[in-house]
Amino acid sequence: MTEQAVHPSEETFALHATARAFEQLRDIVKVPSNQREIPDLFVATDQLQRLSALIADVSDEVLFHVAADTAEPDPGPVILAYTSALVPAGRAMEGLTASAEQLGFLRRFAHVLPGAPELEEGREAAFLVVQDRLETVRAELGDAARGLHCAADRLSGAPPRSVAALSRSAGITNATAHTAPEPRSTAPARLAYTPAPRHGR
C-alpha cells in the first residue's frame, strides 16, 4: 500500500501550508549589509514570536497525530515530516535569539558618544554576529520549508518540488537530484556581548 493511497489530501495540504509559513517568515528576515541596516529590536522580537508560534503549531501537529495514532492510515510519514522540520526550526530559533542578544547590546549603548575604541569594536562585532546569525536563520527556515514540501509531494505521489524545479532550470538527472546535500558547517562567530555564567554571579 502506497503513501499516496492512504493519506488524504488534507494532510498534504497542511504540510504545504506549514512549509509556506516557514517561507513567509524567511522572507521577512532581512540580512543587513551594513550597520545602518541592522534591524530594530522590536522587529527582531516580533520575528522570535512568529517563529515560536510556528514551532508550537508544528508541535501541535505532532501531538495530534501521535494521539490519533491508528493503523490506517499510517501516520508515521506525516509525523516524521513535522518532527524533521523542528530541527532546522530550532536552529533558526537559536540564530534569532543570538541576534536579539546582540541587538540588545547595541540598544544599551546606542546613545553612548563614539570615540571609545572598545565600544566601536564591540559595535562592529555585534553587527557581524547579527549578520552571520540572520544568514543562518534564513537558510534554516528554507531547509524546513523544503523538507515539508518534499514530504507532502511524497505523500501525494507528485515529484518533489525542489527536484522538479531544478530539473526544469538546470536539466539535472534524477541521480543528481536525489543526492544528499553537504552538511552545513558554520563557524561560531565571536560574540560582542557574552553574559557571565549564572553560577558565577
Side-chain angles (χ1 to χ4, degrees), residues 29-170:
V29 174
K30 306 300 182 183
V31 179
S33 59
N34 55 65
Q35 293 194 35
R36 292 187 300 275
E37 296 178 358
I38 289 179
D40 184 84
L41 191 55
F42 178 86
V43 172
T45 51
D46 176 69
Q47 293 170 357
L48 272 172
Q49 287 189 330
R50 288 170 182 258
L51 182 54
S52 296
L54 186 51
I55 290 175
D57 288 342
V58 173
S59 300
D60 286 345
E61 287 290 342
V62 175
L63 288 173
F64 170 78
H65 285 89
V66 170
D69 193 354
T70 56
E72 297 291 343
D74 176 16
V78 177
I79 292 172
L80 179 60
Y82 285 119
T83 54
S84 297
L86 289 173
V87 176
R91 289 194 290 257
M93 176 63 77
E94 181 183 7
L96 280 179
T97 53
S99 176
E101 180 186 31
Q102 300 306 312
L103 294 174
F105 167 80
L106 290 171
R107 181 181 176 86
R108 166 66 179 82
F109 296 103
H111 302 295
V112 176
L113 293 176
E118 297 82 3
L119 181 58
E120 293 304 318
E121 290 177 3
R123 285 171 171 162
E124 177 63 20
F127 162 71
L128 294 176
V129 172
V130 170
Q131 189 179 53
D132 175 79
R133 294 299 187 262
L134 292 183
E135 287 176 351
T136 298
V137 168
R138 285 182 53 85
E140 298 295 352
L141 293 174
D143 286 349
R146 281 189 294 275
L148 289 166
H149 277 313
C150 288
D153 289 336
R154 286 194 298 271
L155 291 177
S156 66
R161 289 187 171 198
S162 57
V163 173
L166 287 171
S167 298
R168 287 193 298 271
S169 62

